[in-house]
């Protein structure tokens, strides 16, 4: 029995999220089904991050154990067996105790906003035209680094033992007609990035001041933070391992 | 009565082409419907180019006559009335005898190929992994400039009076994981770009030699040229006027 790390990418709009659930098309189930066909036995995968319904990934990982040796052509064959919305990038052997979720040092997400209606980018960016003060939004980002408990940005229904996250990067940049929010942390809570983006947009619109972030974070109350922005602007873009 | 030029963009995957037809969602019909609501009378638009079902446009134009003055907020309102797949960029007044189709000096199309499976670009690029000799494909492009009758690349069912086109630009470029074909001409025949791309791909795969283009074009026979590539990789990107 050897352990393997599979790297893949997907259009979240075509799936009910990463994690398997009954009566819904999920990334995990699609991967397991097709890997099981190739291995001719049941394969279970453990993902690095459980992205919500609608959230995209350009770099996501999962590990799995397989008693038969992986053939060189599996990436090629998987890409032709899987739906167009899910692509396998690579499969490589890892240590037997490697864990895709627990060994990940950090995850990086991008949230894309498009400033004018752009038909071909409507599936992967959030169309938002209101004027925004980017400087104020980046000033608010600086406050995120001063805290580790982010319960205020977590979905209320959650099964985590701690709300502590170490945010390593949080910055807004302008790229032509697009605004890109980059956030990197050791871990994220459920709905956290979309709640942070929603709150930062309120700062950008002048409805909140950057320093209001202190009170919001200290409240540990989801109702104090801004609304969650739509899932389709969110992309998991990097997972770092040792 | 004044004449206006409307500039717009669309995701061709959501429409059965530009031109109105019964029992199908078309770009022209959507535009006319929403403009008629704002003008409170029937508005008819005349497009610069009749793109086929599935073909995208980042810059397309149409003219229309309207007896009531266009309000400044029409672009804003149209974008909120039209489906997400269709965006209005601008509306400006033009001369009363301006014609969106006949006054266009040239149209430019891009055809995008992606070299590896890329879920988020599957709607607007053609996934094609086979090795390609780009140099041979560009050598074949040079031959296009030596001809004006392109009947060999035209759909057989067509109502045009002449197959003459002046090709002003035709070149393949590599951009990361993508190949982009740029072609500019005064006019294009039905299915022409997709037939040219299909033929050039056969050159790239070594199934045809660049100089075989001479015989194909001279034959004036659609069966001599390559297959038509899928519509979803094709984008109308520029229409030039005086």
């Amino acid at each position: 029995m050897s352990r393997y790390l599979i790297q893949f990418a997907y259009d979240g709009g075509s799936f009910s999220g990463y994690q398997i659930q009954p009566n819904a098309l999920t990334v995990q189930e699609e991967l397991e089904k097709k890997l099981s066909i190739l291995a001719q036995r049941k394969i279970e995968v453990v993902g690095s991050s459980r992205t919500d319904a609608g959230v995209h990934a350009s770099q996501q990982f999962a590990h799995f154990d397989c008693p038969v040796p992986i053939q060189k052509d599996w990436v090629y064959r998987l890409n032709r067996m899987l739906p167009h919305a899910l692509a396998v990038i690579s499969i490589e052997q890892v240590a037997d105790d490697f864990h895709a979720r627990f060994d990940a040092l950090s995850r990086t997400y991008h949230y894309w906003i498009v400033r004018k209606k752009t038909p071909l980018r409507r599936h992967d960016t959030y169309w938002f035209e209101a004027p925004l003060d980017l400087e104020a939004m980046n000033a608010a980002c600086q406050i995120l680094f001063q805290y580790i408990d982010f319960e205020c940005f977590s979905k209320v229904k959650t099964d985590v033992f701690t709300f502590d996250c170490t945010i390593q990067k949080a910055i807004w940049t302008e790229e032509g007609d697009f605004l890109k929010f980059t956030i990197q942390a050791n871990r994220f809570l459920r709905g956290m990035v979309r709640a942070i983006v929603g709150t930062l947009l309120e700062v950008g619109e002048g409805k909140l001041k950057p320093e209001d972030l202190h009170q919001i974070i200290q409240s540990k109350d989801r109702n104090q933070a801004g609304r969650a922005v739509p899932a389709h602007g969110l992309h998991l873009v990097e997972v770092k391992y040792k």
Side-chain angles (χ1 to χ4, degrees), chain A residues 59-226:
Chain A
Q59 184 181 64
Q60 161 78 294
F61 291 97
H63 76 252
F64 63 93
D65 293 322
C66 187
V68 300
I70 300 292
Q71 301 299 315
K72 254 194 150 178
D73 66 354
W74 276 31
V75 171
Y76 181 92
R77 289 171 68 188
L78 282 168
N79 277 329
R80 277 138 192 94
M81 293 160 72
L82 289 164
H84 281 286
L86 175 54
V88 172
I89 298 161
S90 63
I91 305 177
E92 53 172 321
Q93 200 176 338
V94 286
D96 289 352
D97 63 348
F98 180 93
H99 196 288
R101 185 164 172 208
F102 301 132
D103 285 353
L105 299 175
S106 74
R107 282 91 177 161
T108 303
Y109 283 89
H110 286 161
Y111 194 89
W112 284 95
I113 285 174
V114 62
R115 304 297 276 147
K116 60 175 201 190
K117 196 178 183 187
T118 307
L120 280 175
R121 299 299 303 274
R122 73 188 188 284
H123 299 299
D124 67 337
T125 64
Y126 173 40
W127 174 33
F128 189 87
E129 282 192 1
L132 289 171
D133 179 347
L134 215 63
E135 225 170 288
M137 290 159 74
N138 274 326
C141 286
Q142 291 299 314
I143 294 170
L144 295 173
F145 298 121
Q146 302 173 32
Y147 294 90
I148 56 165
D149 184 323
F150 290 104
E151 185 169 355
C152 71
F153 295 126
S154 173
K155 281 195 185 168
V156 179
K157 279 191 184 174
T158 187
D159 56 357
V160 293
F161 297 106
T162 163
F163 295 101
D164 288 1
C165 310
T166 306
I167 295 184
Q168 295 146 348
K169 193 186 277 185
I171 188 165
W172 286 90
T173 47
E174 207 164 352
E175 301 192 5
D177 289 329
F178 299 90
L179 292 180
K180 181 174 77 174
F181 179 56
T182 304
I183 186 162
Q184 181 184 336
N186 65 327
R187 67 192 281 264
F188 287 94
L189 307 170
R190 277 195 66 207
M192 178 171 162
V193 182
R194 290 162 59 196
I196 290 179
V197 171
T199 307
L200 294 176
L201 286 183
E202 290 190 15
V203 172
E205 290 184 279
K207 295 176 186 168
L208 289 175
K209 289 192 208 100
E211 51 272 28
D212 291 339
L213 268 278
H214 288 294
Q215 181 269 319
I216 291 169
I217 297 170
Q218 286 164 17
S219 76
K220 304 189 182 196
D221 177 3
R222 179 66 188 82
N223 293 318
Q224 299 296 309

